[in-house]
Amino acid sequence: DRFWRKTRSYPRPGNSIIDSIVNLCVGADPNRNWNYHWGGPGGSGNPCAANYRGRDNSSEIEVQNLQNFIMSKRDSLKMYLSLHSYSQLILIPWGHSYKLADDYEEMYEIAEKALTRLEKVQGTTYRAGSTSNILYPAAGGSHDWAKGVAGIKYSYTVELPDRGFYGFLLPASRIKSTGQETLELVKSMAEDMMEIYYFKNSSRLRS
């Protein structure tokens, strides 16, 4: 159905009646399956749960392929941005812990500027903060992995509209406005990456 959030893999086969029943449950939540603090809070060990973390870290082929691709480009990647729904949030690592990343304030500043710019489109308000502190603990997520393993300093997950009135069933009438707002958010972050990694470095070289 359209609300399916898991992959389409099957658990490992087993010999017991319980194994047979569990094997009827398909897939794992790919945003609990990444190889960084996998198996921590926020993921389930039950293959029938929506937030099932998978039988092992990186067990899902989709996650494997993304991890391999990102690692092959890690030296040139300046920001990782994952788009989800819903809640109107920018989530900053960490999701596996309530502890803030050492450079949390730098990441927060980029996020806050982006949300100010997004709000100017039509007044939609978001919040920014660490995953565990403004949403809930969620280990094995992609933006934690992007920062903790791939070493991408600016790693975020954006939870798109709305805040729960429509939830996952956002009406088609919101497509255009959500797209316009999200574009401004991405442009703001991209411009900050250029400022941090290009213009500042160019100034140093000229001096």
Side-chain angles (χ1 to χ4, degrees), residues 89 91-95 97-101 104 127-138:
L89 302 170
L91 302 177
I92 301 169
W94 303 110
S97 169
Y98 286 102
K99 181 181 177 181
L100 301 179
Y104 172 82
R127 287 192 301 146
S130 75
T131 306
S132 293
N133 287 291
I134 69 168
L135 189 58
Y136 45 70

Side-chain angles (χ1 to χ4, degrees), residues 5 11 15-17 23 29 33 40 52 60 65 67 90 105 112-113 119 129 147 158 198 205:
R5 64 178 281 158
N15 299 318
S16 69
I17 294 175
N23 279 338
D29 181 349
N33 189 240
Y52 173 51
E60 306 310 290
N65 287 337
Q67 288 180 167
I90 294 185
E105 292 300 329
E112 191 70 6
K113 285 172 65 177
E119 187 175 354
K147 186 171 183 65
V158 178
Y198 178 73
L205 289 172

Side-chain angles (χ1 to χ4, degrees), residues 139-152:
S142 66
H143 70 312
D144 273 16
W145 178 92
K147 186 171 183 65
V149 177
I152 303 171

Side-chain angles (χ1 to χ4, degrees), residues 3-196:
F3 298 111
W4 187 266
R5 64 178 281 158
K6 298 164 72 179
T7 61
R8 298 296 296 167
S9 62
Y10 283 90
R12 289 176 179 149
N15 299 318
S16 69
I17 294 175
I18 293 176
D19 288 333
S20 299
I21 294 171
V22 164
N23 279 338
L24 298 174
C25 299
V26 177
D29 181 349
N31 206 44
R32 301 292 186 274
N33 189 240
W34 291 64
N35 187 16
Y36 188 68
H37 290 271
W38 176 85
S44 173
N46 176 6
C48 298
N51 62 339
Y52 173 51
R53 59 181 174 253
R55 64 178 180 268
D56 201 351
N57 70 73
S58 312
S59 62
E60 306 310 290
I61 188 65
E62 298 87 348
V63 172
Q64 294 171 29
N65 287 337
L66 281 168
Q67 288 180 167
N68 291 338
F69 176 79
I70 291 169
M71 291 300 283
S72 74
K73 306 289 185 182
R74 62 185 298 187
D75 291 338
S76 60
L77 293 176
K78 306 305 180 187
M79 183 176 73
Y80 176 83
L81 189 61
S82 179
L83 301 180
H84 293 216
S85 66
Y86 58 91
S87 287
Q88 293 173 204
L89 302 170
I90 294 185
L91 302 177
I92 301 169
W94 303 110
H96 69 270
S97 169
Y98 286 102
K99 181 181 177 181
L100 301 179
D102 292 340
D103 54 356
Y104 172 82
E105 292 300 329
E106 294 175 64
M107 290 187 287
Y108 181 84
E109 182 180 356
I110 300 295
E112 191 70 6
K113 285 172 65 177
L115 295 187
T116 298
R117 185 153 157 181
L118 178 151
E119 187 175 354
K120 291 179 180 178
V121 176
Q122 62 170 17
T124 303
T125 58
Y126 280 55
R127 287 192 301 146
S130 75
T131 306
S132 293
N133 287 291
I134 69 168
L135 189 58
Y136 45 70
S142 66
H143 70 312
D144 273 16
W145 178 92
K147 186 171 183 65
V149 177
I152 303 171
K153 176 180 176 67
Y154 296 97
S155 299
Y156 305 91
T157 290
V158 178
E159 296 283 353
L160 298 169
D162 61 2
R163 285 191 171 139
F165 183 80
Y166 291 108
F168 292 116
L169 193 60
L170 201 67
S173 61
R174 296 289 301 276
I175 293 174
K176 183 176 181 179
S177 61
T178 299
Q180 290 170 333
E181 293 169 348
T182 306
L183 177 60
E184 289 304 311
L185 179 149
V186 173
K187 285 168 62 178
S188 175
M189 289 183 149
E191 289 166 6
D192 279 332
M193 295 303 101
M194 292 173 65
E195 175 68 24
I196 292 168

